[in-house]
Amino acid sequence: MSEVMKDRITDIGPPKYDTMWPDYIKDNYGKWLYHEELEPGVLKHVTETGATVFTVRIAATRLMTTLHIRDLAAIADEFCGGTLRFTTRNNVEFMVADQSKLEPLKARLKADGHLIGGTGAGITNIVHTQGWVHCHTPAIDASGIVKSVMDELAEYFHDKRLPAKVRISLACCLNMCGAVHCSDISILGVHRKPPLIEHDRLLNVCEIPTTIAACPTAAIKPYNFEDEKGEKVKSLQVNADRCMFCGNCYTMCPAMPLADPQGDGVALWVGGKVSNARSMPMFSKLAVPFLPNTPPRWPETVDAIKKMVEVYADGARPYERYGEWIQRIGWETWFKLVGFEFTTHHIDDYRFAMTTWRSSTQFRFTD
Amino acid sequence: MSEVMKDRITDIGPPKYDTMWPDYIKDNYGKWLYHEELEPGVLKHVTETGATVFTVRIAATRLMTTLHIRDLAAIADEFCGGTLRFTTRNNVEFMVADQSKLEPLKARLKADGHLIGGTGAGITNIVHTQGWVHCHTPAIDASGIVKSVMDELAEYFHDKRLPAKVRISLACCLNMCGAVHCSDISILGVHRKPPLIEHDRLLNVCEIPTTIAACPTAAIKPYNFEDEKGEKVKSLQVNADRCMFCGNCYTMCPAMPLADPQGDGVALWVGGKVSNARSMPMFSKLAVPFLPNTPPRWPETVDAIKKMVEVYADGARPYERYGEWIQRIGWETWFKLVGFEFTTHHIDDYRFAMTTWRSSTQFRFTD
Amino acid sequence: MPLTHQTPLLDELEKGPWPSFVKDLKRAANEGNSDTANDLLGQLELSYKQKVGHWKHGGIVGVFGYGGGVIGRYSDSPHMFPAVEHFHTMRVNQPASKFYSTKALRTLCDIWDKHGSKITNMHGSTGDIVFLGCRTEALEPCFADLAKAGFDLGGSGSALRTPSCCVGKARCEWACIDTQDLCYSLTMTYQDEMHRPAWPYKFKFKISGCPNDCVASIARADCSIIGTWRDDIRINQDEIKKYADAGFNIEKHVVGLCPTKCITYEGGTLTIDNKNCTRCMHCINVMPKALRPGTDTGATILLGAKAPILEGAQMGAVVIPFLKLDGSAEEVEDQYRELKDFIEKLWDWWDEEGKNRERVGELIQRLGYRAFLEAVELDPIPQMVKEPRSNPYIFFREEEVEGGWERSVEEYRSRHQA
Amino acid sequence: MPLTHQTPLLDELEKGPWPSFVKDLKRAANEGNSDTANDLLGQLELSYKQKVGHWKHGGIVGVFGYGGGVIGRYSDSPHMFPAVEHFHTMRVNQPASKFYSTKALRTLCDIWDKHGSKITNMHGSTGDIVFLGCRTEALEPCFADLAKAGFDLGGSGSALRTPSCCVGKARCEWACIDTQDLCYSLTMTYQDEMHRPAWPYKFKFKISGCPNDCVASIARADCSIIGTWRDDIRINQDEIKKYADAGFNIEKHVVGLCPTKCITYEGGTLTIDNKNCTRCMHCINVMPKALRPGTDTGATILLGAKAPILEGAQMGAVVIPFLKLDGSAEEVEDQYRELKDFIEKLWDWWDEEGKNRERVGELIQRLGYRAFLEAVELDPIPQMVKEPRSNPYIFFREEEVEGGWERSVEEYRSRHQA
Ligand code: SRM
Ligand code: SRM
Ligand code: SRM
Ligand code: SRM
Ligand code: SF4
Ligand code: SF4
Ligand code: SF4
Ligand code: SF4
Ligand code: SF4
Ligand code: SF4
Ligand code: SF4
Ligand code: SF4
């Protein structure tokens, strides 16, 4: 056994969950009876035996430095018995068992500039992915768009209420590392130019058959490239008219990059949900096929989302999620209300296209 | 111009519709105000100016001889001013403008053994196809099954009412020459044995490429058959495991018959509709994948349909079509009520299969 | 003639309340002296015994100058049933919505008694009068007699099939369009398309006067034309009161079942939010004396319905939400022309792009709505879909992308080391 | 250290109410002396200027003995941004439902400050703690320190990915199953599957305590495990009265929105027809003091959710409607074993039949439910589908057809002349 492998600890898994618990969780585990939302960002959970825990949720950038984490830990030490948690949407929750600590905790969080909110019928944190900060395939940045959108919508996080939750997600490419395919509103990075092909290095860095197989539309074909010396070198070619810019070829083959300043941008989607409450989970549907990539603040994207939130705020009924609302009023009405153009891109032309056509005379007139 | 073509009359189209009208239609054309169903099979239509037409609808076998047609014409002459019409579901309608003729007309029809009915919330004629009477691809007979089923359900034609219309259709093979894919209940002839292949005549009677292209599942491949003389003859072979017995190969190639006494039989479908009333049109869904071909009276098929009608009669609410009812109670409940086995055949495995999977935790427990 | 075959199985089908085709066939054989009916009974009995049909595959027969209208059929057991050795059908184009004067009916019977088997289908699934059981040599004379009597054949093969329609304005208060007139007009304009198959596959028109769709067009017509209106449902409040007084539960059966919940019934008055009404017909269906479709009428045009072969069944999908079809005779001619222009554009595209045995609906599936809409020169609108696409696989086109698709690897690599 | 790059564009993102990652990164560079953070800001500013990313494709790096847990990443402009030349991420398996003692948090910070960039994601989309920005040579020592502190890497590549779950019984009254315990149990049982990729593609578990699905499992887990109950919703009628008294419109907001309309509210008493309840949670969600899930609890198992690549996104579909997951510690172990047996059968099948980069859901699509159900030894039940098939393309098998599939052409032709 090599030196490095000696005494090596592997396959231990994560720390057991209960090693992280404070008493107010340990003692009440599984005994919860009900909860109340005291105000946006503040929850009260009560057990069958009358014990309580108060939770204060704050907004977080999930791209977070250890300096920031240490600051949060300090607050948890001061108020929460040395525990905090992260939510499934990357917010941070501070809990206190003792109601008397609630107001001081809130005051401290506010003093430190934190936004308290994100619970109930409003807008919580945007689930997002890497963008230009880390990934190799993004069409857009992630953190910058999230910041720009949430700056605009912050009041729905900490203050203003909506008919129901509006979950916003972002994924920077069609791999969709966030659950953007089932969000009330989603922001998706899209490419619009077919891959470049680096014939002179493709054979070295890519497997030809797996790359061909990677293309969902069979747009990729073998190709014999003639190099400078006039010799035939195996490579690939793309039938650009069959390409829908999914980027799966690039995932398999580094010699086929898609990213382009003009080609890349944002598509917006609407009406998805995950919960089983009332309606079954739904996919998000195309709202805007393309908006330009406009760092640092993506104003077109921010405006369009704001408009989407506002028409929903005006039109939906209590408890009605975005997609439920649109189902009730009809897509034709929604497009009219929101004022987005309806294009051929909105009409599905992929595998299940036919199931989305309107096979009924039931519709509303909108002109 | 050849003799036969001389003075030849072609492309004249059908007689103009209005040449067939009696005065009570001509005068009231487009002026109708409302109608009433006086009893099953008897309608009263009233115009804006107060004119009336009474319609008596009778059951018909659409497989009908000229002798029978002449009998019907005689009745129309006697009571209806020399007009009758056929409905889109192959019933016959006699009309009188003068109420005093209504009872005599009904009496005469009854005396002649006709069943009056088929209107409103009951069961009207079964739309059907050729079966063994004329077509070359049927898996079942048509007229005999229709007769057997309607003998059992006749009371729903002329007497008993249901929550809403129940439209029954029959098609004797997957070509589905009736609209059985959108009927409340449908009876479909299915094959279950892959095509035989007559290697020695295939090349003479079939086009190899079009036959290969005809197979939706690409189960058909070229094959070199060795004939008696040891010579290779071009033919086809079928990958039986990929065959779903659609019979499209046989449509293109007479040397690939599917029909078989044991292989062929009935599949039953449920819950389709065509009208846009309340819900959008719906496809029928699989109820029973296979019942044996049991002439002359197909008792298994008749019983299953009767059961389907009875559970609907018991469970549905007024105006609720079959498919609307099932949507409300859930398929799991329906299978429990009707007592049919749920098999892997019920789970779609064709192109849109995924869209039918239950992507939600919402369901009822039925065990 | 006496029946020459024992038919114990078929005899079972003479029993029971529903009319019996066996009785009728026996009568044709017996009383009507049809040896064809006699042998048909014999062969059918054999099928009942063996549980399998006894007709040969296909057979190309027809009348001169037409590519369709006749379906060839031959017995596979002519040694036993010589009178059905040839058993072809002729599809005779029915008068729109199937009213018949008894004179016309008797003429048809006379012709068929003279040339054929005495057996018919009233009617075939597409809508034709079907003459069932003709010998090859009888086809042409039968056709000549039909033509003389003012009848013509319907469609078969890769051609326009016989259009059909609901009873419409002839006896239905809800007809928003003149189904019979439009059916007749399409049939007459496209005689050539019906009789001389020249397309990738069949094409069917069906026309219903309102969204109840009594001719089931949405399930089985490449082009469904369904009457509708775009103004307000007409309400007669007095009649509403009468329904209520008669004990009819308006709240439950009308308001509660409206799919868009756009009806309110308060203080005995019924109000409809017409902008949200999707014209499903339910409220009108259940209170025919009180409610009527609006008066600004026309049709919704849907495309693509068909049976499952090859890629699964399709229903018609909206392509033109509203085409005005209502007015003076002249206006109507113009409106028909507009519809026909659209249809002809569609056919041209299908003719050009369609594969062998590919229906219009399948072609739209294969090439997508964009190609289709461009071909027929329509703009995309949300009424065409139940919902927009949910997959992100958008085929952007080069012309909509700034800078186009031409790019240089060198330029790219100058900014990005590999 | 002072920032060495001008970042006028990024500076815009320091403004506004939402927390700013730019501020935080600058602080790490400045106050925290992270040259990686400094160059990251520089490279990101370049991306903002050029509207394009600046990372090279992939890069295979890792720790000894593991096939995953590290994502290799290199700058494509290291001449400008040398400190991010290597910028790998380490996926560190989070504690189930993400409670942290501050001690554990500080330990993680210490390790990452020592070996890496000071930059993290709390958390990655799958659920891991993500250490963002590591040099290749630092991976192994960082891993060793993590392991010493009781932490391990999560999954990447064609392996089991880090399972995750909702807060569950730790702070939610609706948790029908112990999400954290199950998450931990699966994670520990399948350490090998997580660290040594050997499958066709990735596989994800996500566990929610009830159908609200707060970990979005139904959208993105190959196997979603969602808590539910099969007895009756518990009702506290006194609390119902309090809601009513407080002016809450029970008829409208509860009864009216129940998807199965199985609630009645009469005379101040709320009744649920539990047999028709589909456990959607709505009524419980809106009246948490009055209603609670039942007590006979367990989980619904759904399979196949995934993002769109390759054939379009899928949601999880029901395969086991109810698996009891509730009882004494021993009972629970048996129940977990039952679940794991099922999962292992699934993996065996997938391993055997799956194509390269084919997720479980795609395999089920390709081979069909029948093959899948046979492999995992489950019976078909209607709960698996929203509706039965509507196409008639049924793949009957030879063994279910009397007489089998072998037939003789001669025998056929002896009865049927060609
Ligand atoms: C803390 C968290 C779980 C965790 O393990 O971290 C959580 C916690 C609670 N959720 Fe959730 N949900 C959390 C993510 C989710 C998600 C997942 C997501 O968004 O990615 C969903 C699915 C969303 C969707 O459908 O798209 C989710 C759908 C729900 C619902 C269903 C709402 C609906 O009507 O569709 C409820 C019930 C409700 O709100 O009435 C709910 C209710 C709750 C309750 C009230 C449960 C309870 O009794 O404690 C918790 C406080 C809710 C609140 O924020 O108002 N939670 N909840 C997550 C907080 C995320 C955040 O920081 O904002
Ligand atoms: C005569 C006929 C039209 C024709 O041109 O021949 C016809 C005539 C009428 N139909 Fe129909 N329908 C006729 C086939 C259809 C079809 C087509 C089919 O079944 O193949 C449908 C679509 C069925 C489906 O959805 O699967 C059809 C769906 C309706 C509906 C919608 C019912 C619903 O709730 O879904 C109505 C409205 C109603 O009944 O309240 C309607 C109503 C009517 C009314 C009341 C219209 C009127 O005001 O006169 C007519 C008398 C109805 C009756 O039978 O009670 N008609 N009707 C057809 C009679 C067939 C028969 O012999 O039984
Ligand atoms: C006679 C008729 C059935 C009947 O008993 O009424 C009929 C009979 C045949 N149809 Fe049909 N179809 C008939 C209406 C239909 C309909 C209903 C309709 O038109 O409203 C359909 C479903 C709608 C549609 O068009 O999709 C229909 C869908 C088919 C198909 C499947 C086409 C598809 O695209 O899925 C085939 C197969 C083919 O074309 O190869 C077919 C083929 C056939 C053939 C020609 C058999 C064949 O394999 O080539 C049948 C000849 C039978 C015979 O020997 O008489 N028939 N066929 C109907 C025509 C009578 C008439 O003109 O009035
Ligand atoms: C880091 C993370 C995004 C984030 O910012 O949080 C991530 C990052 C990548 N994902 Fe992911 N995925 C991440 C969660 C997801 C999720 C969400 C989830 O797990 O709940 C999904 C959607 C659910 C699913 O699995 O389908 C997801 C669906 C994909 C896919 C599409 C897979 C598919 O079958 O459709 C790919 C493409 C691939 O595997 O080749 C992908 C590939 C990638 C790669 C490895 C890029 C690639 O082309 O190979 C990314 C590396 C980025 C980088 O440089 O850091 N990633 N990826 C997430 C993992 C962090 C963690 O461990 O906690
Ligand atoms: S969504 Fe695409 S670009 Fe963004 S992190 Fe995932 S794989 Fe990378
Ligand atoms: S981007 Fe997608 S569609 Fe285009 S060539 Fe690559 S794999 Fe094919
Ligand atoms: S359904 Fe099939 S067997 Fe019946 S008439 Fe049509 S093509 Fe012939
Ligand atoms: S019956 Fe259908 S599936 Fe089977 S071989 Fe013939 S065409 Fe193919
Ligand atoms: S479709 Fe409408 S107009 Fe035509 S008969 Fe039926 S109800 Fe009347
Ligand atoms: S026609 Fe249908 S949608 Fe319109 S008001 Fe009547 S019931 Fe409602
Ligand atoms: S999924 Fe259910 S149990 Fe888990 S946190 Fe959400 S509401 Fe609570
Ligand atoms: S859980 Fe949902 S389905 Fe069940 S009673 Fe409550 S609202 Fe109705």
Side-chain angles (χ1 to χ4, degrees), chain C residues 1-17:
Chain C
M1 60 173 281
L3 299 171
T4 63
H5 306 284
Q6 294 293 315
T7 56
L9 294 172
L10 288 176
D11 295 349
E12 288 298 315
L13 293 174
E14 294 186 70
K15 302 170 189 164

Side-chain angles (χ1 to χ4, degrees), chain A residues 361 363, chain C residues 224-228 279 298-302 318 320-323:
Chain A
T361 58
F363 57 82
Chain C
S224 323
I225 302 168
I226 301 184
T228 193
R279 303 169 312 289
T300 299
I301 315 296
L302 305 94
V318 174
I320 302 180
F322 189 82
L323 187 75

Side-chain angles (χ1 to χ4, degrees), chain A residues 40-278:
Chain A
V42 184
L43 300 170
K44 174 182 174 186
H45 282 83
V46 180
T47 68
E48 285 160 348
T49 54
T52 53
V53 163
F54 298 87
T55 302
V56 182
R57 185 181 297 170
I58 61 161
T61 60
R62 63 153 216 180
L63 176 61
M64 188 181 272
T65 68
T66 54
L67 288 80
H68 192 78
I69 297 173
R70 289 179 199 274
D71 286 353
L72 299 175
I75 299 174
D77 281 343
E78 190 176 338
F79 297 91
C80 310
T83 304
L84 57 77
R85 79 175 287 271
F86 294 84
T87 70
T88 59
R89 295 190 74 89
N90 307 316
N91 286 314
V92 178
E93 292 182 334
F94 294 95
M95 287 148 284
V96 295
D98 182 350
Q99 183 153 18
S100 69
K101 288 194 191 155
L102 180 60
E103 287 309 317
L105 168 64
K106 283 166 56 187
R108 167 63 182 278
L109 288 168
K110 283 183 187 161
D112 282 8
H114 292 292
L115 281 182
I116 296 173
T119 58
I123 299 182
T124 181
N125 211 342
I126 298 184
V127 163
H128 68 92
T129 47
Q130 297 295 338
W132 294 330
V133 166
H134 195 271
C135 196
H136 57 176
T137 73
I140 53 175
D141 187 34
S143 306
I145 299 182
V146 167
K147 163 79 175 142
S148 304
V149 172
M150 286 311 294
D151 274 343
E152 188 67 44
L153 300 179
E155 55 185 357
Y156 295 104
F157 183 84
H158 60 74
D159 180 12
K160 273 200 187 169
R161 299 292 80 187
L162 289 166
K165 296 182 192 322
V166 173
R167 299 307 210 208
I168 309 182
S169 306
L170 177 146
C172 25
C173 83
L174 268 61
N175 284 339
M176 289 199 186
C177 297
V180 313
H181 53 297
C182 297
S183 295
D184 295 281
I185 296 178
S186 24
I187 307 165
L188 178 68
V190 295
H191 303 291
R192 293 184 307 160
K193 300 196 182 190
L196 282 168
I197 304 190
E198 299 179 85
H199 294 300
D200 49 2
R201 80 181 190 111
L202 191 142
L203 195 57
N204 295 330
V205 296
C206 311
E207 269 185 40
I208 296 224
T210 52
T211 309
I212 291 174
C215 180
T217 64
I220 305 178
K221 292 262 144 65
Y223 172 68
N224 283 323
F225 156 74
E226 195 167 318
D227 73 8
E228 291 154 0
K229 300 174 223 145
E231 274 168 36
K232 294 275 182 199
V233 183
K234 279 195 189 161
S235 183
L236 293 168
Q237 65 184 356
V238 168
N239 176 346
D241 290 323
R242 293 186 72 154
C243 177
M244 43 62 180
F245 322 100
C246 69
N248 203 36
C249 47
Y250 183 61
T251 296
M252 301 310 289
C253 172
M256 296 178 72
L258 285 92
D260 183 272
Q262 293 169 305
D264 299 351
V266 169
L268 295 177
W269 307 74
V270 68
K273 75 189 272 276
V274 161
S275 84
N276 292 280
R278 298 168 308 283

Side-chain angles (χ1 to χ4, degrees), chain B residues 17-31:
Chain B
Y17 49 92
D18 57 6
T19 62
M20 301 292 168
W21 291 343
D23 287 344
Y24 53 80
I25 297 297
K26 191 171 302 177
D27 296 346
N28 298 320
Y29 198 79
K31 299 189 192 144

